Amino acid sequence: MAGCKPKAVPVVAGKKIKVAIDPVTRIEGHLKAEVEVKDGKVVDARVFGGMYRGFEKILIGRDPRDASQITQRICGVCPTAHATASALALDDAFNVKLTDNGRIARNLILGANYIQSHILHFYHLAALDYVNGPDVAPFIPRYKNNDVRVDKATNDVAVAQYLEALEMRKICHEMVALLGGKMPHVQGIVVGGTTEIPTREALDKFAKRFKIVKKFVMEKYIPIVYLLAGPYGDLLKTGGGYGNCVSWGVFPMDNNGNMLLKSGVYTDGKDGPVDPALIKEYVKYSFFDDATTGLNPREGKTVPDAHKAGAYSFVKSPRYNGRPHEGGPTARMWIQNPELSKIGQNALGVKKLRDIGDAAFSILGRHVARAEETAIVCDAVEQWLAEAQPGKETFVPAPIPESAEGMGMTEAPRGALLHYINIKNKVIANYQITSATLWNANPMDDMGQRGPMEEALIGVPVPDVENPVNVGRLIRSFDP
Amino acid sequence: MASEGETALDNLYHIAEKYKGKFSLAVEGAIPMGADGKYCIVGERNGHEITMVDIMKDLGEKAGSVLAIGTCAAYGGIPAAEGGETGAIGVMEFFKAHGIKTATVNIPGCPPHPDWIVGSIAHLLTKGVPELDDDGRPTVFFGENIHDNCPRLDQYDAGELSEKLSDAKGCRMDLGCKGPETYADCYKRKWNSQMNWCVDNSVCIGCVEPGFPDASSPFYEPA
Ligand code: SF4
Ligand code: SF4
């Protein structure tokens, strides 16, 4: 078995060594990472997206209403986010205004999925970078020297929680299904609101389940994330990258555009509002026709060229005002700058998220932001449950417009998500999707700037090239 | 899976060799045949890219049986729909084209119900390949028509039809329900610990059928 033979790579001072990880596992899609290591640190990095399915092309010519069903199938982890973005684009194009109950039902569906997605990410994708599972498949094989630094007692607690977290995710799915029909891929989120008017019984069932999940989040998930900050404290200082971030805002709190997590852009140390016209997608290093580079999603084109010389990824490179920006919980929490949970305040010795400074943009900082966000969403779910009105209309019917365009901007658990639709003759003429992982895991752009994940890899310590543990830790911190 | 990179892929190939003819291969996703398979890179070994096409040839042949999990793996699904340009196909079609004779069980659904997956695996382990219909699906899960068994069939017969998506009562026929063309046990199994199912919430979009999504769309127009 060739790959299990230890490859003796002599570490020579000043010499560059190439390390490839393909596939990067425990993520949502297909990814390869290639880094160059010099004197124990990453000095260059490339992230390859190795899959193209062609959703944008498949949508052309279809009934516009079908978009919120088709696009959910992009991702089984956050279909609700695609449903939301698509429904927002359709609401815009159909010119329909939601009822309060429709808005709240959508929030409850997306909120339950947020909590599920964050628990999934921490326990079932990332945790094995920090603790050891039992010595059976699928927990083995693993890196020989995997830099696990927790004591046995902590490790045992984490493994017990790993299993309990599976149950929590199942309960979150039940919450989604109560209002959304089923999960994954909800039937319930459509243009004009949601399809099922909540009954008292459904809301009670939702609330009963939510209570169990919230207890797990507050008493287990958040504490264990901060527990890791002890033995892995150095990971709060590595993996920063550009420190630029975007959030389109998510969870409308009223019908006037106020969001639970607000929209904003943070570039080179400055805050600003979002202007969708400043989003452009570049493809110089992506397997797409060069003639389609630098386009705003409104003019976006998807023309694959799988054999393009010099290209290395099927991911396009979105840029905001020409600059790379990361998306995700860190971006949202940085832009929101909320007060941290009590546990967080005690562990980090600060009050608000921005008080931790650069540490927010780090391998562990991204886990901290994700955990803190879960607590905020839990509080909001409680509020929406109190606001939801049993028996009140959630759906506003509207005819398909002859021709129209619509923009839907929201936040998936893993980052900024945009859907754009152009309708002609009552069918889809163009559909463009700038998904969360596009913002993070993209290749170099036409201007020669690395993607945010690539840039964040620079400087990450790899003391042992046969066990490049920190490369996987960094990539997973983005939840790609 | 704790491991990543070549260690992970090597382990997969090693297990396939060690249990040749005895293991079951679970396949997710359609197989994109276009662009020499480059639309889906699974990983690399010894410095060479392994595409989905490569790994399906390598492991499909060695497997004792294959579970094609989800409508994409079973029939091509959305990547194979009109407008798709990756040449995506399902496992059985791929095997036919490559002369691979490994027994294949289709577990379609977008997504497939967890009981359908676990139930099929349990059947494989205890009694071998389950009885399959003409589309390669276990009849125990996909043998019954949704409409013929729908709890709303009485309302259909009585002509009580829902007029808008949020109507709690009524048959969903006029809203686009594809129950009459769809064979699955969702009507009794329901979803997510019996919390709900598509027809009570909205409509069935026929997600388990070989023609999904083209044959059942527009989803919100009657067939
Ligand atoms: S709701 Fe659908 S499956 Fe049920 S009776 Fe009506 S058409 Fe048939
Ligand atoms: S009810 Fe129809 S759309 Fe829903 S899961 Fe079953 S077959 Fe698929």
Side-chain angles (χ1 to χ4, degrees), chain A residues 230-244:
Chain A
Y232 297 102
D234 56 318
L235 300 183
L236 276 168
K237 297 186 193 87
T238 188
Y242 292 108
N244 294 338

Side-chain angles (χ1 to χ4, degrees), chain A residues 3 25 73 143 174 393 476, chain B residues 3-5 10 110 166 193 221:
Chain A
T25 52
R73 272 74 183 173
Y143 285 124
E174 291 170 9
E393 187 59 85
R476 287 187 196 96
Chain B
S3 62
E4 62 187 8
D10 276 342
C110 193
S166 59
S193 326
E221 291 292 335

Side-chain angles (χ1 to χ4, degrees), chain A residues 273-337:
Chain A
V274 172
D275 176 2
L278 296 180
I279 301 166
K280 295 205 165 86
E281 295 185 335
Y282 294 88
V283 301
K284 183 170 178 190
Y285 295 95
S286 313
F287 293 112
F288 294 97
D289 185 354
D290 280 331
T292 63
T293 203
L295 299 176
N296 181 261
R298 285 187 62 186
E299 282 88 44
K301 290 195 178 76
T302 307
V303 185
D305 180 357
H307 297 290
K308 189 170 109 180
Y312 62 91
S313 181
F314 275 111
V315 175
K316 294 180 183 176
S317 298
R319 296 292 180 258
Y320 186 87
N321 205 10
R323 302 275 286 126
H325 289 73
E326 76 171 84
T330 289
R332 288 190 290 265
M333 292 298 97
W334 187 262
I335 285 159
Q336 183 82 6
N337 194 24

Side-chain angles (χ1 to χ4, degrees), chain A residues 151-474:
Chain A
D151 56 29
K152 188 175 177 303
T154 309
N155 201 85
D156 289 350
V157 167
V159 170
Q161 289 184 14
Y162 181 104
L163 297 174
E164 203 182 335
L166 289 169
E167 181 69 21
M168 294 305 124
R169 288 172 51 201
K170 178 181 146 219
I171 297 174
C172 288
H173 274 16
E174 291 170 9
M175 286 153 58
V176 172
L178 280 164
L179 302 176
K182 74 174 198 307
M183 178 68 198
H185 307 329
V186 297
Q187 307 298 101
I189 297 178
V190 291
V191 53
T194 70
T195 54
E196 191 165 341
I197 296 172
T199 59
R200 181 75 267 159
E201 194 201 345
L203 290 171
D204 287 348
K205 282 185 178 173
F206 191 111
K208 193 175 134 216
R209 284 165 177 75
F210 169 68
K211 227 175 121 188
I212 299 168
V213 175
K214 184 177 179 188
K215 190 168 153 61
F216 177 85
V217 168
M218 300 314 292
E219 293 176 10
K220 297 190 171 162
Y221 171 32
I222 294 180
I224 204 162
V225 169
Y226 284 109
L227 201 63
L228 292 181
Y232 297 102
D234 56 318
L235 300 183
L236 276 168
K237 297 186 193 87
T238 188
Y242 292 108
N244 294 338
C245 56
V246 289
S247 166
W248 304 154
V250 62
F251 298 118
M253 301 303 278
D254 54 32
N255 297 333
N256 308 317
N258 289 310
M259 301 279 171
L260 172 71
L261 303 174
K262 67 182 182 189
S263 70
V265 180
Y266 184 80
T267 315
D268 299 329
K270 282 195 203 74
D271 286 289
V274 172
D275 176 2
L278 296 180
I279 301 166
K280 295 205 165 86
E281 295 185 335
Y282 294 88
V283 301
K284 183 170 178 190
Y285 295 95
S286 313
F287 293 112
F288 294 97
D289 185 354
D290 280 331
T292 63
T293 203
L295 299 176
N296 181 261
R298 285 187 62 186
E299 282 88 44
K301 290 195 178 76
T302 307
V303 185
D305 180 357
H307 297 290
K308 189 170 109 180
Y312 62 91
S313 181
F314 275 111
V315 175
K316 294 180 183 176
S317 298
R319 296 292 180 258
Y320 186 87
N321 205 10
R323 302 275 286 126
H325 289 73
E326 76 171 84
T330 289
R332 288 190 290 265
M333 292 298 97
W334 187 262
I335 285 159
Q336 183 82 6
N337 194 24
E339 220 169 74
L340 296 173
S341 62
K342 287 280 162 300
I343 312 166
Q345 292 186 22
N346 289 337
L348 300 171
V350 295
K351 204 164 173 67
K352 298 180 98 180
L353 188 111
R354 281 202 189 186
D355 299 340
I356 67 174
D358 290 345
F361 298 89
S362 68
I363 293 179
L364 216 54
R366 294 189 184 91
H367 288 288
V368 165
R370 196 170 286 112
E372 289 291 342
E373 181 176 81
T374 313
I376 293 173
V377 173
C378 279
D379 285 344
V381 165
E382 220 144 57
Q383 186 185 333
W384 298 323
L385 273 172
E387 286 170 5
Q389 305 236 26
K392 278 262 170 70
E393 187 59 85
T394 55
F395 176 68
V396 180
I400 305 172
E402 192 62 43
S403 68
E405 48 173 5
M407 187 77 103
M409 295 173 82
T410 183
E411 290 281 314
R414 47 201 49 70
L417 175 61
L418 178 155
H419 282 214
Y420 167 78
I421 190 168
N422 190 326
I423 301 168
K424 290 209 170 81
N425 301 321
K426 296 194 174 186
V427 298
I428 300 172
N430 192 13
Y431 203 102
Q432 291 288 316
I433 302 152
T434 309
S435 65
T437 295
L438 237 60
W439 282 97
N440 293 327
N442 59 66
M444 200 172 261
D445 61 32
D446 300 33
M447 295 75 82
Q449 306 170 98
R450 292 186 189 96
M453 195 185 276
E454 294 178 335
E455 184 70 15
L457 277 162
I458 306 298
V460 164
V462 183
D464 174 1
V465 291
E466 285 164 37
N467 298 280
V469 188
N470 283 335
V471 174
R473 282 176 177 161
L474 180 283

Side-chain angles (χ1 to χ4, degrees), chain A residues 69 73 182 187, chain B residues 109-113 116 142 146 178-179 182-187 191 197-199 203-209 212:
Chain A
Q69 279 300 318
R73 272 74 183 173
K182 74 174 198 307
Q187 307 298 101
Chain B
C110 193
H113 196 293
W116 303 339
F142 302 95
I146 289 191
K178 302 301 183 302
T182 305
Y183 289 79
D185 62 10
C186 307
Y187 71 90
W191 276 83
W197 75 299
C198 309
V199 167
V203 292
C204 168
I205 62 169
C207 78
V208 298
E209 291 301 315
F212 178 81

